[in-house]
Amino acid sequence: MRVEIWSDINCPWCYIGKARFERALERFPHREAVEVVHRSFELDPRAPHEARPVVPLIAAKYGLGLEQAEAAEQRIADNAEAEGLAYLRSGRDAANSFDMHRLLHFAAEHGRQAELLDALYRANFAEERSAFAPGRLVELAVEAGLDGAEAARVLADPDAYAQAVREDEATASAMGATGVPFFVLDRRLGVSGAQPAETFTAALEQAWESRTVVPLVTVGGGAGESSGSDTGEVCGPEGCEVPRR
């Protein structure tokens, strides 16, 4: 069974949702038969490549004061830490993620996609030094077990793996996905948002037990027919959902 996960490195709910899904997968009795593939989704393809502090961006997007925006970021940090994830509580930034997605496709060809994705999330959400700092992506590629010189060549060529990123995004659009994280199991069952681990467990069991070709059904809203479950937290073009408590 294949699980495809559309996400963006700028998306904190993707970071959290990945941890919740992996917790469900760990206890899934058929986990050795599950292939996980990470797909590209840019929250803001027009974002500048220069890193910008996240808190002022949140304040501007939602019409909040800086203290309110800081509190919203703290609530997301609380959710991350509840999943055992490290989260930088101040100083996080954001920038254009297209090069990260290109590099993830390069890593997939070398069997190191999961390792690079973990390194990117850790750098963006848990470390003081920006994931978008000059030369940082090559360093993270090396940490993930990739050849640094090859990674640098990919990043230096703006066309390298660009089509693969766009194809992922076109597929997400065709499925009706407007936000991430978005999980698709065998192209038959969709789960939208950073759902609780129990929801992912139920989706894995449902997909495993009904392995016949059927139209895509989505848990938690989004593409296809809804199952009636609550929508999990997502990030979309208009921003990321902020927990109110």
Side-chain angles (χ1 to χ4, degrees), residues 8 28 43 75 83 107 109 123 128 135 148 153 158 166 217 229 242:
D8 189 14
F28 183 58
L43 290 173
R75 289 193 290 272
E83 301 299 330
E109 285 193 354
E128 292 285 347
R153 282 194 291 271
R166 295 186 182 108
V217 175
S229 298
V242 176

Side-chain angles (χ1 to χ4, degrees), residues 27-82:
R27 56 188 183 223
F28 183 58
H30 308 288
R31 62 186 178 278
E32 298 301 324
V34 177
E35 176 192 13
V36 178
V37 179
H38 295 278
R39 301 293 189 192
S40 301
F41 189 107
E42 295 171 273
L43 290 173
D44 185 2
R46 295 169 294 183
H49 288 270
E50 297 75 21
R52 299 170 294 167
V54 161
V55 168
L57 291 176
I58 293 173
K61 185 174 289 291
Y62 296 107
L64 303 174
L66 288 178
E67 288 187 2
Q68 292 174 302
E70 181 69 32
E73 179 73 356
Q74 296 299 313
R75 289 193 290 272
I76 294 176
D78 291 341
N79 276 262
E81 291 171 358

Side-chain angles (χ1 to χ4, degrees), residues 81-95:
E81 291 171 358
E83 301 299 330
L85 299 170
Y87 199 98
L88 187 66
R89 285 183 170 266
S90 62
R92 184 169 72 85
D93 56 23

Side-chain angles (χ1 to χ4, degrees), residues 2 4 14-15 22 30 38 43 58 87 96 126 148 220 237 244:
R2 170 179 284 193
E4 296 166 277
C14 295
Y15 180 48
E22 289 176 346
H30 308 288
H38 295 278
L43 290 173
I58 293 173
Y87 199 98
N96 192 290
R244 299 301 176 187

